[in-house]
Amino acid sequence: MINVVSVRVGDKYGIEYVTRLHDGIARHLAEEARHWCLTDKPDELPEGITPIPHNPDLPGWWQKVYLFSDRLWNDGDEILYMDLDVCVTGRLEGLPHGIIKDWHWPCYNSSVMRWRHGEHSQIWDRFSLDVIDRPTESLKGLLPAGQINGGDQEWISQVSAWETFPPSMFLSYRDCVAWPPDGCKAVIFHGEPKMADVTEGWVPGVWKVGGYTAMPELKGMNVSHEFAYANVRANVLRDLPWFSGFSEQAKGCVIVGGGPSMKDSLRQIKDHRRRGLKIITVNNALRYLTDRGITPDSHVMLDAREENLHMIEDAPKNVRYFLASQVHPCVFDALAEHDVVVWHNGMGSGAELQEIVSPWFDEGPNQKPCGLVPGGGTVGLRAINLAWLSGYKKIHLYGFDSCYQDGAHHAYGQSLNDGEPTQEVVMGGKTYICARWMIRQAMEFQDQYQYLRDRGVKLITHGAGLIPDMGKLLAG
C-alpha cells in the first residue's frame, strides 16, 4: 500500500487542482494506494481523498515538513508526495525513493518526493518555527539575495540526504511546452503559467479527470504458467515436426492480424500475394481471409485456452499451421489431418520449458531441433519473430492496430475480447482507445522493431492505429 499525499492550505489553488492531481496519479499508478490531502478545508475534498488536518502553526509550503511527523504515519509506511502544480504524464509503478534535484538552485526540489516513513524523520524532529525566519546557512552565498529564505526545500536539503530521481523523470514545463518526452513521469509548473492557464497543446488533454493516460509496460499471460506447461507436456509427445527456422528467403512476407483496419486492406494483401510474397495469418484472421478468397500460406497460434478451438473450424488443408506447444491439445486434435509444425514459446525463465523438451533435443533416436522463440506477449509479435527466424528480412504487417476503431476491437467478432477494460492513451498528440493487452503489445513492438532493425530486418506497418503510427515514427 502506498500513501499518495498532497497539500492544499490557503486559497492559491482551487479544489480542481487536488481532484485532477489525484486522478492523474490514480490513472498512472497500478499499485494499491490510499489518497490523502493535508488541508485546512477538508469539507471541499472529493470522495476518495482522505483529509489530514493541517498544522495551524505553519504557513504555506512549510506544511510539507509536517508530513514527516510521526503523528501522521507509522514507521515503514510508503509515501508519495506531489505538489498541486504537478501534472502526471508517465507511469508511476516502481518509482524509487527519492526527490527532485532542482533545475536552477543548488538544493532539492520538493515538488515530488517518495520515501519510507522514518527514513527522513530529522526533517520534522529538528524543525522549529524559528527556522522559517532565518536563512539556511548551508546555502547562504549560493543563492541570490532574497532567495536564501526560500522555504521547505532548502531546509530539507540542509538536514537530510536523499537520492535524487534521474533528471529525465521530472521536468519543468518550460522544457516540455511542445510535448513531454518519453520517460517523463510528471511535469512541474513552478512559477507561471499554471496548468489552468494553458489552453492549447497537450496540457488540457492530460490535466483533467479521465484525461490521457501514458502507456504502461504490462507483462503477463492470460493463463497461469502451470496451465501452459501442462499443455506443453501433452503436446511434445505428438509425432510432429518442430520449428527450426534459420533459413534465407528471397522475398518478403505479409503477416495479417485481426485489427479493425485489416478489413480495409484486402486489396493490398492480394497484391502482395500476386507478387509472390507469403501470407501468414494469426488467430481469427485465417477464417476472415479464407472467407474472402485469400488462403494464407501459414497460420500461427499461441493462446493456451480451449476457447480458441473455434478459430480453426473448417480450417483449409493447404495451409501450414504453426502451433505453439502451449496451445490447448484440443486444437492439435482438430488439426490432426493437417500440416502442423510445433514451435516453443520462450516464456518465464525458460528453465521449466527446457526441462520438458530436453528429452527430444538430446542425442538419441528422438532428436529434434529446438529453439525457444522470443518476442512479446501476443501471437502477432511472436509471428514476427517466427518470420524473422524463417529468414524473412522484409515483413509487412496488416491488422496490427493495437487499438479500438469505432468501438471495434477486431475486424470481425471475437467474443473473448468483448467487454474488456479500455483506457485512453496518447502518442504524438493523437488519442487511442486501448485494452491493456493492446498497450502491452504496442510497447513491446517498439522494442522488437528496434531489435530486428539492428539485425537487418525491415518491419513495414500498414493500416491505421497505434502500432501503424508507431511504426511510421520509428521508420522516421
Side-chain angles (χ1 to χ4, degrees):
M1 168 77 74
I2 183 169
N3 296 282
V4 174
V5 191
S6 61
V7 170
R8 179 183 183 245
V9 175
D11 300 318
K12 181 177 182 179
Y13 295 100
I15 193 62
E16 71 275 11
Y17 278 83
V18 178
T19 303
R20 297 180 187 187
L21 171 65
H22 284 266
D23 180 77
I25 294 173
R27 279 186 276 125
H28 292 86
L29 181 65
E31 299 177 46
E32 184 181 3
R34 185 172 181 184
H35 291 252
W36 306 82
C37 182
L38 189 152
T39 182
D40 58 350
K41 299 179 180 67
D43 294 341
E44 295 184 5
L45 293 181
E47 185 179 355
I49 302 178
T50 303
I52 299 174
H54 77 300
N55 187 319
D57 295 328
L58 300 177
W61 53 51
W62 288 101
Q63 295 285 340
K64 282 192 272 185
V65 302
Y66 184 47
L67 293 176
F68 295 88
S69 167
D70 284 339
R71 302 176 192 174
L72 304 184
W73 319 106
N74 297 314
D75 279 354
D77 284 355
E78 287 285 335
I79 318 295
L80 171 61
Y81 170 81
M82 289 192 178
D83 277 349
L84 295 182
D85 59 0
V86 170
C87 183
V88 181
T89 59
R91 304 304 306 179
L92 300 174
E93 293 89 5
L95 187 69
H97 293 173
I99 196 170
I100 297 172
K101 182 182 184 298
D102 196 84
W103 304 280
H104 305 293
W105 309 122
C107 62
Y108 299 137
N109 184 299
S110 59
S111 297
V112 179
M113 301 180 283
R114 181 168 180 173
W115 72 97
R116 182 178 294 108
H117 185 65
E119 291 177 342
H120 301 286
S121 59
Q122 63 270 33
I123 293 172
W124 178 251
D125 292 344
R126 293 178 56 186
F127 180 79
S128 62
L129 291 178
D130 69 326
V131 170
I132 298 174
D133 299 319
R134 66 177 173 82
T136 48
E137 295 299 329
S138 64
L139 297 174
K140 190 174 182 179
L142 295 176
L143 298 175
Q147 295 291 332
I148 56 175
N149 293 332
D152 68 281
Q153 53 196 29
E154 295 173 22
W155 172 250
I156 291 172
S157 301
Q158 182 181 20
V159 301
S160 65
W162 293 66
E163 294 292 329
T164 55
F165 297 120
S168 59
M169 277 190 176
F170 299 101
L171 300 175
S172 166
Y173 177 64
R174 299 163 193 174
D175 299 319
C176 303
V177 173
W179 192 259
D182 289 345
C184 175
K185 296 186 177 298
V187 175
I188 318 302
F189 286 73
H190 54 101
E192 302 295 336
K194 297 300 184 188
M195 293 88 88
D197 303 320
V198 182
T199 58
E200 297 181 349
W202 63 269
V203 177
V206 177
W207 190 67
K208 65 178 182 178
V209 174
Y212 299 159
T213 302
M215 293 182 289
E217 186 173 358
L218 302 168
K219 303 290 185 181
M221 296 173 61
N222 54 23
V223 299
S224 68
H225 281 79
E226 291 73 19
F227 185 95
Y229 286 137
N231 289 352
V232 174
R233 290 188 179 91
N235 293 325
V236 295
L237 300 176
R238 299 174 185 271
D239 185 19
L240 293 170
W242 288 6
F243 173 78
S244 58
F246 306 105
S247 58
E248 291 292 333
Q249 304 291 342
K251 294 186 177 181
C253 70
V254 177
I255 302 177
V256 182
S261 72
M262 182 264 283
K263 62 180 181 294
D264 300 320
S265 304
L266 298 181
R267 178 174 294 181
Q268 296 97 303
I269 295 171
K270 289 180 179 178
D271 288 342
H272 287 305
R273 162 60 57 80
R274 283 192 288 269
R275 290 195 292 271
L277 275 67
K278 298 293 186 181
I279 308 297
I280 302 167
T281 54
V282 302
N283 290 351
N284 265 324
L286 168 69
R287 298 184 68 184
Y288 190 88
L289 289 193
T290 54
D291 288 346
R292 288 154 182 80
I294 306 174
T295 302
D297 299 279
S298 303
H299 180 67
V300 179
M301 295 183 70
L302 168 67
D303 197 301
R305 293 173 292 179
E306 186 175 2
E307 292 88 338
N308 292 282
L309 178 62
H310 72 95
M311 294 180 181
I312 45 86
E313 290 176 354
D314 303 320
K317 290 194 173 181
N318 54 340
V319 174
R320 172 164 279 193
Y321 295 87
F322 289 84
L323 304 184
S325 54
Q326 69 184 44
V327 167
H328 198 278
C330 70
V331 176
F332 280 88
D333 293 341
L335 293 174
E337 304 300 323
H338 294 64
D339 182 7
V340 173
V341 176
V342 179
W343 60 278
H344 297 293
N345 169 37
M347 55 181 166
S349 67
E352 185 169 353
L353 180 61
Q354 291 186 32
E355 181 179 346
I356 294 170
V357 301
S358 62
W360 282 266
F361 64 80
D362 289 339
E363 293 184 4
N366 297 322
Q367 187 176 10
K368 292 183 178 181
C370 180
L372 303 185
V373 177
T378 64
V379 64
L381 297 179
R382 297 287 169 152
I384 292 172
N385 276 339
L386 280 166
W388 160 54
L389 294 174
S390 296
Y392 292 103
K393 295 298 180 63
K394 188 174 184 179
I395 303 172
H396 296 267
L397 304 176
Y398 289 89
F400 278 67
D401 302 359
S402 218
C403 66
Y404 276 60
Q405 305 272 0
D406 299 324
H409 46 68
H410 285 82
Y412 39 75
Q414 185 158 297
S415 60
L416 286 173
N417 297 98
D418 291 345
E420 61 190 357
T422 61
Q423 63 186 66
E424 282 187 346
V425 298
V426 63
M427 181 186 72
K430 293 180 66 174
T431 307
Y432 307 84
I433 304 299
C434 304
R436 290 170 65 89
W437 68 266
M438 295 174 179
I439 299 170
R440 182 184 71 240
Q441 177 175 246
M443 296 300 292
E444 293 174 340
F445 172 81
Q446 179 175 279
D447 294 337
Q448 192 164 0
Y449 183 101
Q450 296 167 338
Y451 179 87
L452 292 180
R453 180 175 59 188
D454 293 343
R455 284 152 182 78
V457 179
K458 185 175 184 179
L459 299 180
I460 305 167
T461 56
H462 301 269
L466 181 56
I467 282 182
D469 292 345
M470 183 179 287
K472 293 177 179 67
L473 290 173
L474 290 168

